Amino acid sequence: MSRPPRLLGASLALAALLAASACAGSGTDDEAEAATGGWSFTDDVGTTVELDAAPERVAGLNDVASSLWNLGIEPVATFGQTSAADDVQFEGRDLDGVEIAGESYGQIDLEALAAADPDLIVTTVYPVDSEGTLDDTQPLYGFESLEQQEQVARIAPVVAIAWRGSAADVIERTAELAEALGADVDGDEVSAARQDYEDASAALTEAASSGVTVLPVAAYPDEGFYVAKANDDPSLRLYQDLGVQFVDPGGDGYFWQTASWEQVPQYRSDVILYSLRGAMTPEEMAGQPTYGLLPAAQAQQVYPWEYVGMDYAAQARYMERLAGWLADSDKVS
């Protein structure tokens, strides 16, 4: 799914700020100090960021920033596919002190991001295939181009956490980053969230034992269904490992298998999970005649598929909801 290009210009004030940030973050002024008492983190694409001190002001992609916040690191700015104010991962958060620097994919307000004065910017990176291969010739997730990524990196260094494999592993990696940023990952709050995650995992396994099948989709009026492949999405893979039976849509492509509206009736399941990110709602899908032929749609066993953060609290919250939906669903396909 392509995204519209956007011309990114920088004012003189922003250009000056970018230049100053580049100098401050170069790590070459006092290598001895950085080596003995500074801060260092190597991300999942092999980039090592070295600073004289641990970053205190962190900005980044909603998906990572929300998880770091759940682990104790409050962001100073965010950007993403939607505004943080509309993102379910920030539900209940006071965003008054957070600069919203982007509200759609790749559309980042560089001036706003620079004005937030971050020490570090965090994002994700997705593989290009089911083997988990990373391609450093492509921009990190959230950036529309390598040029934009370089502009952002002149504001503050960028680190990326790879969203591949199971969410169980990505959660631990995100916790490592949070701990490096000063979070107390062994404190009472995170320990309680970790226990909630374990309890929700057990509840999901119990609910999935009924054998109901699940179809995660993102639907579009002119394109039909994009059916997700559970093995390629970290959250879905975690749920699958816990016993959830996802429909295998087939096909050789990575992450998605597409189906026109004429083909949609082939993808039968007991439950449908529909994407909340820019895709059709159940009410909108109901306007397509073939959607009504699906057993899950007829049984009204259709539930939201949230883009869940890679942390204990976010995953526990969604797994609890998913367990409830599966427990209340019947085998109808």
Side-chain angles (χ1 to χ4, degrees), residues 47-331:
T47 299
T48 298
V49 173
E50 294 182 346
L51 301 171
D52 290 344
E56 295 182 357
R57 299 178 62 81
V58 179
L61 187 74
N62 289 349
D63 307 328
V64 185
S66 63
S67 288
L68 291 179
W69 203 342
N70 286 341
L71 293 164
I73 304 298
E74 182 175 347
V76 297
T78 67
F79 53 87
Q81 287 187 303
T82 185
S83 168
D86 299 323
D87 193 320
V88 294
Q89 298 307 312
F90 290 91
E91 186 174 346
R93 294 292 190 189
D94 181 358
L95 298 172
D96 284 348
V98 180
E99 184 69 42
I100 307 300
E103 299 184 9
S104 61
Y105 189 92
Q107 308 302 293
I108 302 173
D109 185 334
L110 294 180
E111 291 192 21
L113 183 59
D117 193 26
D119 302 317
L120 187 74
I121 296 169
V122 297
T123 188
T124 61
V125 59
Y126 280 89
V128 296
D129 56 34
S130 299
E131 302 303 315
T133 306
L134 301 179
D135 182 0
D136 60 7
T137 68
Q138 300 296 316
L140 300 173
Y141 194 74
F143 304 125
E144 66 177 0
S145 65
L146 288 173
E147 179 185 5
Q148 185 189 57
Q149 181 177 314
E150 290 166 0
Q151 290 174 315
V152 169
R154 288 197 292 272
I155 296 173
V158 178
V159 297
I161 299 297
W163 280 31
R164 60 181 172 183
S166 169
D169 297 323
V170 187
I171 289 169
E172 295 302 324
R173 182 62 171 147
T174 304
E176 288 178 13
L177 175 57
E179 184 173 26
L181 293 170
D184 182 5
V185 297
D186 294 318
D188 292 344
E189 186 173 348
V190 177
S191 294
R194 189 182 293 111
Q195 184 60 55
D196 289 343
Y197 168 81
E198 295 296 337
D199 293 344
S201 298
L204 183 57
T205 296
E206 174 63 25
S209 65
S210 67
V212 294
T213 57
V214 180
L215 186 75
V217 304
Y220 302 92
D222 298 329
E223 301 171 74
F225 273 5
Y226 280 73
V227 184
K229 299 182 178 182
N231 281 336
D232 293 339
D233 179 272
S235 291
L236 299 183
R237 183 164 176 176
L238 167 63
Y239 311 154
Q240 181 174 259
D241 290 345
L242 292 171
V244 177
Q245 296 185 30
F246 289 101
V247 173
D248 181 359
D252 297 327
Y254 169 64
F255 205 99
W256 298 108
Q257 174 64 15
T258 57
S260 67
W261 285 108
E262 290 77 13
Q263 297 170 321
V264 159
Q266 301 174 20
Y267 295 88
R268 300 170 63 84
S269 64
D270 303 310
V271 171
I272 291 174
L273 296 180
Y274 65 96
S275 173
L276 292 180
R277 288 201 163 178
M280 298 172 72
T281 65
E283 293 75 18
E284 291 168 334
M285 289 188 288
Q288 298 287 339
T290 53
Y291 173 76
L293 301 176
L294 294 172
Q298 293 171 352
Q300 298 185 24
Q301 295 177 171
V302 182
Y303 308 103
W305 173 22
E306 295 180 8
Y307 204 77
V308 186
M310 294 294 150
D311 64 88
Y312 306 113
Q315 289 290 339
R317 182 174 61 247
Y318 188 71
M319 286 195 293
E320 287 172 1
R321 297 179 67 196
L322 181 57
W325 295 330
L326 298 188
D328 292 339
S329 296
D330 298 319
K331 292 184 67 64

